Amino acid sequence: GCLHDGSIRFNEMRRVLSCSEKVLAQSLRELERNKIIYRTVYPEVPLRVEYRLTPAGEKLRQIYDLIYLWSLEQLKETGEEIAPLTFKFHDDVRTSHNQE
């Protein structure tokens, strides 16, 4: 979901996913090693790092979307609160999710 519409910065991804910095950094390193994402570092102050899907990662997009939709269904069934940032990269899902 986070890389659905192009690139995303580390801190933005962390806010959307609500995970620790350590866990996110480890996961991103693994995805980069497995050639699922690209990591681009811009020599700016402050340092800017962006991530985007590789062509191999793009091939997995349908799987990501199915997992995302399944997760929303589980949250809805259990009555869990769905954070507003959940829909940042899938606004089309917000509409269909609210209509159910």
Side-chain angles (χ1 to χ4, degrees):
C2 282
L3 297 170
H4 190 72
D5 293 326
S7 63
I8 184 171
R9 295 177 69 171
F10 182 90
N11 286 333
E12 186 177 21
M13 193 179 319
R14 187 166 164 237
R15 281 192 304 273
V16 170
L17 296 174
S18 297
C19 62
S20 74
E21 188 172 325
K22 179 182 176 183
V23 168
L24 180 57
Q26 289 172 340
S27 298
L28 290 170
R29 278 193 297 272
E30 184 176 341
L31 289 169
E32 186 179 13
R33 254 192 325 270
N34 291 317
K35 311 263 189 277
I36 303 297
I37 61 169
Y38 292 121
R39 178 178 183 262
T40 305
V41 179
Y42 297 91
E44 301 172 353
V45 178
L47 189 67
R48 180 169 56 114
V49 179
E50 291 183 347
Y51 299 88
R52 62 185 167 84
L53 292 172
T54 64
E58 286 288 341
K59 291 178 183 177
L60 296 171
R61 185 181 298 248
Q62 290 180 334
I63 295 168
Y64 301 147
D65 288 343
L66 288 173
I67 293 170
Y68 177 80
L69 290 171
W70 177 86
S71 299
L72 286 178
E73 289 172 10
Q74 297 307 304
L75 289 171
K76 184 178 179 183
E77 285 179 16
T78 59
E80 296 291 325
E81 183 179 339
I82 300 174
L85 286 177
T86 301
F87 301 103
K88 181 171 179 59
F89 298 96
H90 286 277
D91 199 41
D92 55 324
V93 175
R94 178 195 299 259
T95 306
S96 63
H97 179 71
N98 285 341
Q99 291 175 352
E100 294 175 357

